Amino acid sequence: MTAWDIRPAEVGGVLSRTATAAEGLSKAGQSVQKTLPSAATAAGTISGMVCGPVPSGPVSGALGEFVKKWSSDLTYIAKRTAASLNGASEATRHYVEGDLAMARTTQSDALKEPKIDMPGQGGDKK
């Protein structure tokens, strides 16, 4: 059987850097969600100046299609990233707890009184 070789401190460092990068992506996504509607409105139409609300043109239509196409994928990526980070953190925590439990068991077993069963003593008739 292959042994586990996890270095919790190094895992923590990787998770921290990954969380920082994911936070940057999240902020960028939030910024796009905020600014995309105004960008679509500002793009207007290529037909020239109009009175009243700016009509939708090809650029704003394309931006709308972009949002419709990619918003669920981007949401999925954000949720998958968070779940992956949490899962790796939890797995590492359980690994450490398992190591500590094994160490406690080993120390406890080492402190037990030894059972000595000499030949001719206790039930062994040799």
Side-chain angles (χ1 to χ4, degrees):
M1 180 175 160
T2 305
W4 289 73
D5 187 18
I6 297 174
R7 296 184 183 110
E10 291 178 21
V11 171
V14 169
L15 291 176
S16 177
R17 289 188 301 277
T18 304
T20 299
E23 186 178 314
L25 288 174
S26 176
K27 286 179 182 177
Q30 291 169 0
S31 178
V32 166
Q33 284 180 327
K34 265 189 198 174
T35 58
L36 203 57
S38 64
T41 300
T45 182
I46 59 172
S47 66
M49 299 295 290
V50 296
C51 295
V54 178
S56 178
V59 174
S60 63
L63 290 174
E65 287 298 314
F66 172 82
V67 169
K68 189 165 47 171
K69 167 76 173 117
W70 292 104
S71 63
S72 64
D73 290 345
L74 296 174
T75 300
Y76 172 83
I77 290 169
K79 288 182 178 183
R80 182 75 265 158
T81 300
S84 296
L85 289 171
N86 290 333
S89 177
E90 280 294 299
T92 304
R93 184 178 63 78
H94 288 298
Y95 174 82
V96 169
E97 288 173 357
D99 274 356
L100 294 174
M102 286 188 292
R104 279 191 300 274
T105 300
T106 301
Q107 288 173 341
S108 176
D109 288 348
L111 294 174
K112 290 180 182 175
E113 291 292 327
K115 181 180 178 190
I116 301 173
D117 192 12
M118 300 289 291
Q121 302 283 322
D124 190 0
K125 304 285 189 221
K126 292 184 183 179

